[in-house]
Amino acid sequence: MSSFLIVAIDGGAASGKSSTSRALSERFNFLHVDTGSYYRALTAELLRRVLRTDQIEAVKSALPSITLGTRVDGRAARMEIGGRVVPEAEIRGPEVTAAVSHFAAIPELRAALLAYQRAQADVARAHNFCGMVMEGRDIGSVIFPNADLRFFLHADPVARAKRRELEGRADAVAERDRLDASRKTAPLVLASGAIDIDSTFLTLEQVVEKLSGLIAAKLS
Ligand code: DC
């Protein structure tokens, strides 16, 4: 029997998902899949095609012409669009950050990413990783509801806004959460049965230790 493990980590903007997932991927030799970066890369491509967030029909028509691939870079999976990885500086920039939640609310765009995200487990297996840690908003609820472990990271909105400020990044954390939690398709929710972790008063190391203990127990 294979011991390949799928770990889902959901949570709001700046809840510590990425740092935690990266640390876990290193500790357990898992592929790290940041699905937020996928929505961001797709947003960068739509903006490059001069599409606006209110042009829903035009976005839907553009989707079939966007060819997705995956590049494994160390332990991180990166989305390729037309054979090119969109640079980090672009996907984390203010234009993409302001638009991404709006594009991510379009059901057809989410549907276009569904099979792609599930197929990341095959990418991880093909690269001989011991498992995959996938972070996002709907991983434990929609993408991998049967994941071996499903976590939901919470943190106080003020603490989260402060984290982004310290990183020097413009990000309307509370507004993105409002949009992500109120959309009709696959909203940001605590999936039933997911393990809820409040990281407001925990350091990154403490969160990683907590999750590592549960992952190690699953592996043993
Ligand atoms: O994790 P992040 O903040 O980089 O994600 C950017 C946006 O992508 C987020 O505001 C909503 C969207 N997203 C989503 O709708 N579903 C996911 N699984 C991951 C991200």
Side-chain angles (χ1 to χ4, degrees):
M1 200 186 87
S2 157
S3 62
F4 185 91
L5 220 69
I6 296 184
V7 177
I9 304 189
D10 290 305
S15 57
K17 299 185 304 290
S18 290
S19 310
T20 304
S21 302
R22 199 173 306 115
L24 292 174
S25 75
E26 279 162 22
R27 188 173 293 199
F28 294 100
N29 190 27
F30 287 173
L31 179 67
H32 173 203
V33 183
D34 170 5
T35 61
S37 77
Y38 292 173
Y39 282 92
R40 287 171 179 273
L42 214 47
T43 295
E45 175 65 15
L46 294 169
L47 293 176
R48 199 183 64 78
R49 295 182 182 208
V50 205
L51 288 163
R52 294 192 319 264
T53 54
D54 58 354
Q55 293 176 307
I56 297 186
E57 289 309 315
V59 169
K60 285 199 277 195
S61 312
L63 288 171
S65 66
I66 300 179
T67 317
L68 303 181
T70 306
R71 190 171 307 168
V72 175
D73 176 12
R75 288 194 178 82
R78 311 236 182 258
M79 175 183 272
E80 289 178 337
I81 296 188
R84 163 182 177 262
V85 173
V86 186
E88 275 292 297
E90 193 178 336
I91 69 171
R92 308 280 161 202
E95 290 83 9
V96 168
T97 300
V100 63
S101 288
H102 298 278
F103 283 127
I106 302 174
E108 288 79 2
L109 186 145
R110 303 197 71 81
L113 277 185
L114 188 90
Y116 173 80
Q117 290 173 91
R118 289 190 177 148
Q120 299 300 288
D122 304 325
V123 173
R125 285 192 176 92
H127 284 79
N128 295 316
F129 284 100
C130 301
M132 174 176 80
V133 54
M134 180 175 273
E135 55 161 307
R137 302 294 189 289
D138 61 344
I139 311 307
S141 55
V142 175
I143 309 298
F144 283 109
N146 297 321
D148 298 282
L149 280 163
R150 294 176 302 144
F151 296 106
F152 192 90
L153 287 190
H154 269 114
D156 174 77
V158 177
R160 292 189 285 127
K162 192 93 203 147
R163 283 177 195 167
R164 282 289 183 263
E165 206 181 300
L166 290 171
E167 290 167 6
R169 284 170 56 188
D171 192 352
V173 167
E175 172 62 4
R176 279 209 290 137
D177 276 2
R178 192 188 63 73
L179 289 169
D180 295 339
S182 62
R183 68 173 172 240
K184 286 202 174 65
T185 310
L188 168 68
V189 281
L190 169 63
S192 120
I195 302 167
D196 192 9
I197 311 263
D198 186 344
S199 73
T200 308
F201 301 108
L202 298 178
T203 63
L204 170 64
E205 290 71 27
Q206 287 170 321
V207 175
V208 171
E209 279 312 312
K210 216 176 171 105
L211 272 55
S212 292
L214 293 162
I215 294 172
K218 271 275 173 200
L219 284 170
S220 65

